């Protein structure tokens, strides 16, 4: 019983914690995203200007439009898709933010399958 009494204040304190959400700080700027593909670290650089994103990956540049659904959610659509897979829009949701980075969740619009990543502001 004593353990339960001590556990209650801890649970109350933890439940009051809210992840930081300063999503507006990331609507524009220059960013980088790193991921591992088949054991190799790959880096994507992109610049976002509110409703447009210009991405550079492995020397290739591509442009996408951004439709902001809320301060922390947007839909990314490639302007010049090269195949059917690139024609599908991607739903992005910023989960938490810090001074120079944010953690996000993404997946194809309408799909339940989601992945997570972390983006760093570089400028």
């Amino acid at each position: 019983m004593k353990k339960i009494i001590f556990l209650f204040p801890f649970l109350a304190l933890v439940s009051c914690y809210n992840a930081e959400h300063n999503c507006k700080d990331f609507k524009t700027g220059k960013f980088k995203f790193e991921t591992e593909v088949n054991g190799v670290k790959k880096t994507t650089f992109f610049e976002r200007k509110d409703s447009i994103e210009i991405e550079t990956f492995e020397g290739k540049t591509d442009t996408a439009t951004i439709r902001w659904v809320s301060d922390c959610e947007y839909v990314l659509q490639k302007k010049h898709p090269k195949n059917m897979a690139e024609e599908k829009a991607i739903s992005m949701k910023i989960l938490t933010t810090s001074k120079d980075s944010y953690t996000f969740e993404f997946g194809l619009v309408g799909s339940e399958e989601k992945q997570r990543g972390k983006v760093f502001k570089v400028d």
Side-chain angles (χ1 to χ4, degrees), residues 20-28 31 48 50 66-75 92-97 102-104:
E20 188 177 346
H21 282 91
N22 294 324
C23 301
K24 289 181 181 180
D25 294 345
F26 298 97
K27 282 193 170 189
T28 60
F31 306 91
R48 186 180 300 138
D50 194 49
I66 299 172
R67 181 175 52 84
W68 288 93
V69 179
S70 70
D71 283 341
C72 295
E73 294 183 60
Y74 61 95
V75 176
M92 312 286 274
K93 182 176 182 179
I94 297 174
L95 303 173
T96 61
T97 64
Y102 64 87
T103 301
F104 70 104

